[in-house]
Amino acid sequence: MTIPIIKVQQLSKVFATNDMLTHALQGIDLEIQQGEYISISGPSGCGKSTLLSIMGLLDFPTKGKLYFEGVDISQLSLDQATAIRNKKIGFIFQQFNLIDDLSVYENIALPLRYATHLVNDKQIKEKVDYCLDVVGMSSKAKRRPTQLSGGQQQCIAIARALVAEPSILLVDEPTGNLDSKSSDQIMKTLEALNNQGTTLCVVTHDIDYAEMAKRKIYLLDGQVLGQTSLDY
Amino acid sequence: MSKFVRQHKQAWASLKKKPGFILTVLMTMGITLGALLCAVTLNYLLLVEPLPYPEQDRLFVAEHKLIGPEKETKAVAYTYPGLVHLYKSKQAFEQAAMMIYGQDVIISHSNQPLVNTTYVTPEFHQIIASPMAVGRMFEASEAIDTNNPVTMLSYNTWQQEYNGSADILDEKINLSGISYRVIGVLSEDFIEPELNGIGQETQVWLPWDYNQTGEGGRESFGNISNSLKFVGQLNKGVSQSQAQQLLTPLVSDRWQEGVVEIDFFNGWSVSMIVRPVKDVILGDSESIAVMLLAGVVGLVLIACANISNLFMSRTAEKQRQMAIQAALGATKKHLFKTMFAETTILMFMSIILALVISKVGFYIMQQYLGAVLPRVSELSLNPITFGCAVLVAITFALFFAKLSTRMINYRALNTTLQSSGKGSGLQVSKKTRQVLIASQVALATVLVFANFSLLKDAVKTINAPIGFETENISTLILNFSSTNFPTREEGIPIMAEIMEKLEALPQVESISQSRSPLDGFGVRALTSVADNKNYTPYFNNVSHTYFDMIEQPLVQGDNFTLVDRKDGTDVMIVNQAFAKQLKADGDVIGMQISTGRPDPFKIIGIVRDIAIPGDAATDHNSEALGSGVPRAYVPNGLNNQSFMIKVKPGQLVSREQLGKLLGDVDSRYAVFSFDAASDILTQRLFAEITTAVTTAILASLVFLLAGIGLYGILSYGTQLRRFELGARMAIGATRKHLVSLIIGDNTKAILVGFIGSIALFALAYIGMSEYIQPLLTWQVIPMLLVTLVLIVLVTLFACYWPLRQYINKPAIFTLRGSD
Ligand SMILES: Nc1ncnc2c1ncn2[C@@H]1O[C@H](COP(=O)(O)OP(=O)(O)OP(=O)(O)O)[C@@H](O)[C@H]1O
Ligand SMILES: [Mg+2]
């Protein structure tokens, strides 16, 4: 059996605010294999984003284990976690999180500039151009993010998530800020990426989009309420 | 309720919610403005305020300048008969007084305190209209040649030594065996013109006739003393230069007559200098005051930049509230008024604190800087201080209000209401922040550099090796309290007995019958017999154990012996500097040196140079010799009345103990002074120590303020960027990436700041070149580097510290914007 990209065991997350404890996640077990397309859905506040950020090493669990490509995350320093995030994980957020001061091209190139192994400018250009092409935004390379529509910005965010050739794309409400036409477009792009082999984990509360995934996980109050069986 | 009151009440209500903000503004502005008020008041007092005497612009001091054969100034000091001649001639001055400064012991007092005495002719207190607390001032009955033994006490002496006794006028006090009847006490408000040096206040005033100049000295045109002074009120219509022209021949001719038989003075002349009393009192303290003001203004500017940033951030915070006000019909002017009400409250609170702090500052200056700055006793909160305070408060209130409202984009306010209120919107613009950073860096660099340079010089002087031992050594100088002085023969056995008793004290390690180098040297005119050249080295009469006790090594030849002192052998020891001056190769053993007496001295030894702080070379051609100033030593007599006492480590001998010991030997002797050599050294270094402390405090304050300011600005900037930072972290930016990103973004501003500091230096150089020129040597380069490094470190810290809360936590915190 191959090593799963992400393996989560009895994972819990508790937030302490003003004398109040919020159990955002309670005993989650989950495995994500190479090439999968998973959707996570559930009502607002059920812990989707929390789970995603823990799986993306943006946050750490209160209890339980997380293995990324077999490595126990609890053993890593902040900087080691950052390095994994840079190399192996692509993030796509609801609010795009592009950097306004940088051009579209530079936004996409950013993960490569932070890479631990040096990538030269020529390689960067090749990769950025390729990713721009994938999302169909080649003509917008010189623009600023603020000069693009929401849908276009999200495409750029996808390109940025792809550029370092990550093992997995973690996507949180990619269409939350978009109209239905742009949303369809984005979801199609993501699906196409999965068809070409990219592992995808998408958080959404849009039933239709959730249905597009090959495996569907449903969360309620921080627990896995149910999931469709593995196809293979 | 009037509109004004309502507006300020509302402003206060809004401010009250931010106690941290109020406290920061209050402390920063209060402390720096307090320092500013101090500096302004001091400058006003020294540069503008007239002296507190009637017709003070007619008060002048006449000085007696001795000029050598090469037209060089030899000394500015009177001879006793020369001064009396000038006084009696009554030229140019409507009224004038002679005075001699000295010290003596009040032996009639149970504590036998050593006091500053001044012998004056009665005109002195008449001219300056001294106010009296009790009794009368000197009058015609105390004029010259009246020999009327009466005295006036200073207010403090009356209070401290006589407990403010109501019947002080019945009291008689005894100094040097003469009993003086107290006829008056000067008022507490009396301000003495300190002509003998800053902080030198007279405690006991005595009539001129009783000054301690000996019979010979009263006739000699060859003895000069710089404690002799002449001060008076110039005739109406006579200018300073007219007075000089009138007095110079009068004094010079008489002096030439007086020294016609002394070869040493061949080719010398006298020129009279007439200077305003104010100039004499102020000396070069004006430059200190101006520099202090410049430093404090810099501090205020830094504080101002800090507070500007705070106010702007506050405006950014309040944008939503202002948008609501705008929606309800508030105009730009209304918004300004609201802001102005807030800044007025804050600035007036600050200025009240500043007034309190300046009052404390005056007290500190009076306690500690009385010996460095003149007229500090006159410092008080006066109309100028209050005027300046109000002006400063209003100016800053207007400035901060204007600055805050300027950043409001009035037309865009409604959009604030429509948007969610989070994220985009009103911010302190990047440009403004960069300007603030640059100005902080520029000001801090200039101030820190200036303070460091002064500090370094002061510390260098303080730490300079003096070349002799002061540890555990004190000098005891005896006071003889009777008018008929013992002869040499009478004195010798008494001194021998005193020495014996001193040596027998259990605390005492050893005794040497001489003064320590710190209170020993005079200046003496010497002639080398071989080539008839004249020299004026420092001169001291010392015991044969002197060099051993202070551990000043003999580098060549022999030390004095007890026999030399007993027989009065004409032998001399010189230091290396004087040896070099006498002969280029410094080999002067056996050379003959004349003091003007028939028998010349023979040089028998050479000692190593010592460096006494404050001892400058006595004649211009010895500066070339480097650190050492020329000194010559001859053996003193066995009747010498001063002793160096070296105590065992950790032991003490008290003045009272010594007083009793002396009284047991011979009741006519008392303690004149008993001072530890290390204390005298500290006193001599007082100006340097004061400078060191002041500059170190100023530099630390600058660092603190600049650090806080840069931190404020940079942390605000970082806070604005937190979502961007979060996004970068999500895609894998490490801590290093982010730190260098923030530093990189601020590098330009910091560089601009450094360039700005150079511009400020250039400006300062043009404006105050006379003060700055001497500071400009190659040695400033390392200082500059140290300053730059420190400023860079502070800046780096200010870059990193606000960032650390974001980058050392899981990225999600930064990204979410929750804490
Ligand atoms: N930093 C935090 N501090 C305290 N509580 C938190 C924090 N982050 C999340 N929570 C709480 O954890 C729970 C899960 O939050 P999460 O953001 O994962 O929900 P979600 O499923 O993504 O919701 P939505 O669909 O609205 O985005 C919520 O109750 C939330 O209030
Ligand atoms: Mg969510």
Side-chain angles (χ1 to χ4, degrees):
Chain A
M1 201 178 97
T2 51
I3 299 173
I5 294 178
I6 288 174
K7 182 173 173 188
V8 167
Q9 281 179 339
Q10 283 303 305
L11 185 121
S12 294
K13 180 72 182 180
V14 182
F15 292 108
T17 39
N18 301 340
D19 315 328
M20 201 190 77
L21 295 181
T22 308
H23 294 268
L25 296 174
Q26 304 181 45
I28 306 271
D29 285 305
L30 182 66
E31 266 182 37
I32 301 177
Q33 298 290 346
Q34 171 71 41
E36 274 200 278
Y37 181 177
I38 296 178
S39 71
I40 301 176
S41 52
S44 187
C46 67
K48 305 181 294 287
S49 299
T50 307
L51 177 59
L52 203 69
S53 41
I54 290 175
M55 292 197 300
L57 315 193
L58 285 174
D59 202 353
F60 293 91
T62 317
K63 249 178 34 209
K65 288 276 181 197
L66 169 66
Y67 298 92
F68 193 94
E69 295 189 339
V71 178
D72 184 356
I73 293 307
S74 63
Q75 305 300 318
L76 299 181
S77 73
L78 222 49
D79 281 347
Q80 284 168 322
T82 302
I84 292 182
R85 206 160 58 228
N86 177 253
K87 181 74 199 77
K88 312 262 176 163
I89 301 169
F91 260 108
I92 297 164
F93 305 94
Q94 180 177 346
Q95 317 85 323
F96 322 140
N97 279 327
L98 297 175
I99 291 164
D100 293 347
D101 289 349
L102 302 179
S103 68
V104 162
Y105 180 92
E106 277 306 323
N107 260 289
I108 298 173
L110 213 48
L112 299 176
R113 305 230 184 258
Y114 290 141
T116 39
H117 60 281
L118 280 181
V119 190
N120 66 35
D121 283 353
K122 198 169 146 258
Q123 288 168 313
I124 289 180
K125 186 161 169 34
E126 271 171 22
K127 286 176 196 259
V128 173
D129 285 347
Y130 172 77
C131 293
L132 272 169
D133 192 44
V134 168
V135 298
M137 287 285 139
S138 297
S139 59
K140 307 283 191 283
K142 293 219 168 62
R143 299 251 190 123
R144 297 265 158 168
T146 45
Q147 298 165 331
L148 299 179
S149 75
Q152 289 167 331
Q153 288 192 43
Q154 195 60 299
C155 286
I156 303 305
I158 295 173
R160 187 178 65 179
L162 287 175
V163 77
E165 296 162 37
S167 312
I168 184 166
L169 278 190
L170 297 175
V171 190
D172 194 354
E173 309 272 11
T175 59
N177 280 355
L178 301 177
D179 61 41
S180 58
K181 192 161 158 263
S182 313
S183 301
D184 290 347
Q185 180 89 47
I186 293 295
M187 293 316 290
K188 273 203 193 103
T189 311
L190 288 175
E191 193 172 32
L193 285 171
N194 177 250
N195 290 337
Q196 286 156 33
T198 309
T199 316
L200 264 184
C201 179
V202 180
V203 165
T204 178
H205 47 216
D206 187 309
I207 309 292
D208 293 340
Y209 293 147
E211 286 302 323
M212 287 167 75
K214 304 207 174 109
R215 180 153 65 109
K216 294 167 280 280
I217 293 172
Y218 194 76
L219 286 190
L220 187 65
D221 290 341
Q223 283 169 311
V224 178
L225 195 67
Q227 58 177 298
T228 55
S229 59
L230 294 176
D231 292 348
Y232 46 96
Chain B
M1 191 163 53
S2 85
K3 201 172 146 201
F4 178 85
V5 174
R6 183 173 44 89
Q7 224 157 29
H8 284 81
K9 273 199 159 173
Q10 279 173 0
W12 176 241
S14 151
L15 278 173
K16 240 177 22 190
K17 285 184 236 148
K18 293 266 170 185
F21 174 70
I22 297 183
L23 199 71
T24 316
V25 175
L26 214 60
M27 294 318 279
T28 313
M29 291 316 276
I31 292 172
T32 51
L33 291 182
L36 180 71
L37 291 181
C38 264
V40 166
T41 311
L42 181 71
N43 274 272
Y44 177 79
L45 179 68
L46 296 188
L47 303 179
V48 185
E49 176 120 312
L51 295 174
Y53 310 117
E55 301 202 58
Q56 58 95 27
D57 47 338
R58 278 171 66 203
L59 291 183
F60 284 84
V61 165
E63 290 172 340
H64 187 266
K65 182 156 89 170
L66 283 164
I67 297 166
E70 280 140 36
K71 296 282 166 256
E72 75 280 22
T73 302
K74 286 291 189 182
V76 178
Y78 278 103
T79 67
Y80 190 95
L83 177 63
V84 173
H85 172 70
L86 172 68
Y87 173 74
K88 288 192 169 164
S89 72
K90 302 226 178 284
Q91 294 285 328
F93 285 89
E94 190 172 307
Q95 249 194 326
M98 296 188 285
M99 46 206 311
I100 293 187
Y101 289 97
Q103 282 189 313
D104 210 339
V105 173
I106 307 180
I107 47 175
S108 53
H109 192 286
S110 55
N111 295 342
Q112 303 207 327
L114 178 66
V115 289
N116 291 333
T117 54
T118 305
Y119 301 88
V120 286
T121 55
E123 299 88 347
F124 180 78
H125 287 287
Q126 289 161 6
I127 296 168
I128 60 172
S130 307
M132 304 298 293
V134 272
R136 64 169 179 92
M137 64 170 83
F138 291 157
E139 289 168 1
S141 50
E142 287 77 36
I144 187 167
D145 300 330
T146 54
N147 288 308
N148 186 11
V150 294
T151 180
M152 284 156 47
L153 304 182
S154 77
Y155 184 83
N156 282 342
T157 309
W158 178 39
Q159 292 300 318
Q160 282 156 22
E161 306 297 348
Y162 296 95
N163 298 321
S165 150
D167 24 65
I168 185 72
L169 294 185
D170 298 335
E171 196 89 33
K172 283 196 166 192
I173 66 169
N174 193 321
L175 293 95
S176 295
I178 299 167
S179 182
Y180 298 89
R181 187 167 54 85
V182 178
I183 56 159
V185 175
L186 286 150
S187 155
E188 194 177 2
D189 302 328
F190 169 65
I191 293 162
E192 184 181 347
E194 290 167 359
L195 299 176
N196 195 36
I198 297 164
Q200 305 263 7
E201 275 182 31
T202 303
Q203 289 161 294
V204 174
W205 297 87
L206 299 165
W208 170 265
D209 292 339
Y210 293 95
N211 74 70
Q212 292 179 311
T213 314
E215 280 310 313
R218 292 189 185 223
E219 306 299 326
S220 163
F221 278 93
N223 278 3
I224 57 169
S225 159
N226 50 19
S227 50
L228 296 165
K229 306 280 172 189
F230 183 91
V231 56
Q233 199 172 48
L234 268 191
N235 277 327
K236 280 211 177 78
V238 174
S239 74
Q240 204 173 331
S241 62
Q242 281 169 335
Q244 284 177 184
Q245 278 164 21
L246 192 68
L247 298 179
T248 296
L250 177 86
V251 176
S252 191
D253 292 354
R254 181 68 194 89
W255 186 75
Q256 300 289 3
E257 260 174 56
V259 297
V260 72
E261 286 182 356
I262 310 175
D263 288 345
F264 186 86
F265 292 116
N266 271 345
W268 288 43
S269 62
V270 170
S271 148
M272 291 301 291
I273 306 163
V274 174
R275 285 207 292 154
V277 165
K278 194 172 176 189
D279 288 6
V280 176
I281 293 176
L282 295 187
D284 57 2
S285 58
E286 290 168 31
S287 64
I288 302 180
V290 171
M291 298 252 255
L292 198 67
L293 184 62
V296 170
V297 166
L299 215 57
V300 170
L301 288 179
I302 291 186
C304 184
N306 292 358
I307 302 303
S308 297
N309 179 56
L310 280 185
F311 273 114
M312 288 192 287
S313 313
R314 182 167 163 75
T315 311
E317 243 173 61
K318 281 178 60 168
Q319 59 161 336
R320 209 176 165 75
Q321 196 189 322
M322 281 191 276
I324 297 168
Q325 283 176 297
L328 299 179
T331 62
K332 253 192 125 155
K333 213 166 135 197
H334 286 126
L335 296 183
F336 173 78
K337 276 187 183 160
T338 318
M339 213 60 207
F340 186 51
E342 275 192 19
T343 55
T344 312
I345 291 175
L346 284 169
M347 284 308 111
F348 273 89
M349 282 168 75
S350 307
I351 211 74
I352 287 167
L353 179 63
L355 284 168
V356 173
I357 285 175
S358 63
K359 182 92 191 144
V360 175
F362 293 156
Y363 177 78
I364 292 173
M365 285 205 253
Q366 279 156 356
Q367 293 299 303
Y368 299 101
L369 299 185
V372 200
L373 285 171
R375 298 187 72 181
V376 285
S377 60
E378 295 172 58
L379 277 174
S380 64
L381 291 178
N382 56 28
I384 296 295
T385 324
F386 282 113
C388 174
V390 171
L391 195 74
V392 164
I394 292 176
T395 313
F396 276 118
L398 273 173
F399 172 76
F400 289 133
K402 191 87 209 145
L403 191 77
S404 307
T405 32
R406 242 195 56 176
M407 54 181 289
I408 304 172
N409 182 353
Y410 188 75
R411 255 173 248 146
L413 274 177
N414 324 357
T415 52
T416 318
L417 281 183
Q418 278 140 31
S419 79
S420 66
K422 187 180 165 190
S424 69
L426 187 57
Q427 293 170 357
V428 181
S429 77
K430 188 165 175 183
K431 206 172 127 206
T432 313
R433 279 183 278 133
Q434 301 265 340
V435 168
L436 284 174
I437 294 172
S439 52
Q440 291 270 7
V441 169
L443 284 167
T445 309
V446 170
L447 286 181
V448 168
F449 173 68
N451 279 308
F452 270 7
S453 306
L454 293 171
L455 177 66
K456 196 195 78 181
D457 284 355
V459 168
K460 202 171 138 199
T461 315
I462 293 168
N463 287 338
I466 52 173
F468 59 93
E469 194 52 63
T470 56
E471 196 78 6
N472 297 324
I473 296 176
S474 301
T475 305
L476 165 68
I477 298 174
L478 303 191
N479 178 64
F480 187 71
S481 52
S482 167
T483 42
N484 42 349
F485 223 66
T487 61
R488 185 180 152 93
E489 279 62 41
E490 282 165 4
I492 289 173
I494 301 173
M495 291 307 132
E497 193 184 339
I498 290 173
M499 275 226 357
E500 207 174 291
K501 286 231 159 93
L502 286 173
E503 260 165 349
L505 289 174
Q507 304 99 311
V508 170
E509 189 169 300
S510 56
I511 304 286
S512 173
Q513 196 178 357
S514 20
R515 297 172 181 219
S516 96
L518 291 164
D519 37 22
F521 285 90
V523 174
R524 191 74 168 264
L526 299 178
T527 310
S528 123
V529 174
D531 55 8
N532 225 18
K533 270 204 187 131
N534 292 333
Y535 301 92
T536 45
Y538 283 101
F539 192 86
N540 200 2
N541 298 292
V542 300
S543 136
H544 61 292
T545 54
Y546 169 88
F547 294 114
D548 287 342
M549 177 168 272
I550 64 168
E551 296 173 26
Q552 182 180 2
L554 198 69
V555 291
Q556 208 183 326
D558 301 315
N559 198 347
F560 301 132
T561 61
L562 185 59
V563 180
D564 290 334
R565 297 177 61 209
K566 219 181 250 160
D567 301 350
T569 323
D570 295 321
V571 287
M572 181 182 276
I573 291 176
V574 297
N575 72 347
Q576 291 169 309
F578 190 33
K580 277 242 177 66
Q581 202 181 21
L582 286 167
K583 229 168 152 190
D585 63 0
D587 185 13
V588 292
I589 302 284
M591 250 178 107
Q592 306 268 336
I593 303 291
S594 167
T595 55
R597 291 189 312 178
D599 295 324
F601 284 89
K602 191 177 101 187
I603 297 177
I604 58 162
I606 300 173
V607 285
R608 201 150 77 195
D609 290 342
I610 56 173
I612 299 177
D615 271 4
T618 50
D619 48 349
H620 60 284
N621 52 358
S622 55
E623 272 159 340
L625 296 167
S627 62
V629 298
R631 295 175 198 273
Y633 306 83
V634 297
N636 61 12
L638 293 173
N639 60 335
N640 187 295
Q641 295 197 11
S642 43
F643 305 88
M644 276 194 279
I645 301 178
K646 183 169 189 172
V647 293
K648 292 171 186 155
Q651 303 274 355
L652 283 174
V653 182
S654 71
R655 192 181 162 106
E656 288 69 39
Q657 193 179 9
L658 293 172
K660 197 173 162 301
L661 182 147
L662 294 175
D664 288 350
V665 175
D666 187 324
S667 63
R668 294 173 302 172
Y669 287 96
V671 177
F672 178 81
S673 65
F674 179 60
D675 296 309
S678 50
D679 288 351
I680 300 173
L681 192 62
T682 309
Q683 264 169 37
R684 289 228 180 189
L685 289 168
F686 186 77
E688 280 77 17
I689 292 171
T690 310
T691 311
V693 171
T694 315
T695 51
I697 291 176
L698 264 179
S700 330
L701 259 179
V702 169
F703 265 124
L704 191 74
L705 279 181
I708 293 174
L710 287 171
Y711 177 81
I713 300 161
L714 291 169
S715 76
Y716 179 78
T718 308
Q719 206 179 319
L720 289 181
R721 292 177 71 169
R722 69 178 289 171
F723 293 103
E724 179 205 327
L725 292 173
R728 286 179 189 264
M729 284 164 81
I731 55 178
T734 59
R735 280 181 274 198
K736 228 172 79 194
H737 288 128
L738 297 178
V739 172
S740 46
L741 174 77
I742 294 286
I743 291 171
D745 275 9
N746 294 306
T747 310
K748 206 177 109 203
I750 294 164
L751 281 180
V752 169
F754 283 141
I755 293 167
S757 70
I758 292 169
L760 279 175
F761 277 126
L763 267 180
Y765 182 75
I766 295 163
M768 318 196 284
S769 56
E770 50 181 319
Y771 305 132
I772 289 174
Q773 198 112 49
L775 296 174
L776 276 186
T777 58
W778 285 112
Q779 290 173 353
V780 305
I781 302 235
M783 283 322 292
L784 199 60
L785 287 180
V786 170
T787 310
L788 291 187
V789 167
L790 282 170
I791 298 284
V792 166
L793 284 179
V794 168
T795 321
L796 288 184
F797 173 79
C799 279
Y800 171 74
W801 200 247
L803 200 57
R804 102 209 167 282
Q805 54 175 320
Y806 303 129
I807 60 179
N808 290 337
K809 273 196 231 163
I812 191 71
F813 286 90
T814 311
L815 208 52
R816 267 177 161 260
S818 61
D819 291 300

